[in-house]
Amino acid sequence: MTIQEIQNDIVDEFSMFDDWMQRYEYIIDLGKALPLIEERYKTEENIITGCQSKVWVHAEQQGEHIVFTADSDAILTKGIIAILIRAFSNQKPSTILEANTDFIDEIGLKEHLSPTRANGLVSMIKKIKMYALAFEAKK
């Protein structure tokens, strides 16, 4: 699936919920389902700066695609990074760099987060794009 198709699916899923309490519960469930990052990747190099909680994102190239793994010490934040990983993992670096993140606004996520969590979300997206830039530069 393309990034846009995945993002459209995420928007469709969030539109099924009537209120934000249901959406928060869904985000938490996504976090619980996120495959665990290997402990050896919970390093300072992989930590997201700008988050109030600890979030680690690791990326490795598998063939032409980047595969992301992540974890957080906060359950809501873990759900947020799970959404981003779903959207961007297993994609080519160039595709990640070209992709927009409008789906975040479409589901209303940023406006329903505290300012520090919203800043953390922006930092997570930047980290994913930086990994993509680094892998793209290796070509």
Side-chain angles (χ1 to χ4, degrees):
M1 289 181 80
T2 67
I3 291 174
Q4 189 61 56
E5 290 169 335
I6 295 166
Q7 290 177 352
N8 290 343
D9 284 351
I10 293 168
V11 170
D12 289 345
E13 289 165 16
F14 273 80
S15 70
M16 292 187 299
F17 301 108
D18 295 327
D19 61 43
W20 264 94
M21 284 312 295
Q22 292 174 327
R23 290 178 181 166
Y24 286 133
E25 288 172 21
Y26 182 62
I27 293 169
I28 289 168
D29 288 344
L30 292 173
K32 289 177 181 174
L34 183 68
L36 290 178
I37 191 172
E38 292 183 38
E39 283 297 318
R40 66 186 169 127
Y41 296 130
K42 286 186 174 183
T43 63
E44 285 299 312
E45 178 182 300
N46 291 331
I47 206 157
I48 305 284
T49 55
C51 286
Q52 72 183 48
S53 51
K54 288 192 176 179
V55 182
W56 299 268
V57 176
H58 173 71
E60 59 186 57
Q61 195 152 11
Q62 294 182 1
E64 293 185 348
H65 298 93
I66 300 176
V67 176
F68 293 99
T69 54
D71 196 7
S72 175
D73 61 356
I75 193 66
L76 185 65
T77 307
K78 191 171 179 174
I80 294 167
I81 194 65
I83 292 169
L84 296 176
I85 287 195
R86 179 174 164 198
F88 296 110
S89 196
N90 295 304
Q91 301 291 333
K92 292 181 179 180
S94 59
T95 310
I96 295 168
L97 291 169
E98 294 165 6
N100 68 51
T101 56
D102 293 345
F103 79 106
I104 298 291
D105 293 328
E106 287 181 52
I107 62 176
L109 184 58
K110 203 182 292 183
E111 68 188 61
H112 285 90
L113 295 175
S114 67
T116 52
R117 281 225 165 89
N119 288 341
L121 171 62
V122 170
S123 296
M124 291 177 211
I125 294 167
K126 281 183 186 171
K127 183 80 165 182
I128 288 169
K129 296 269 187 174
M130 291 303 293
Y131 275 124
L133 189 62
F135 284 117
E136 183 70 4
K138 287 183 180 180
K139 283 186 169 181

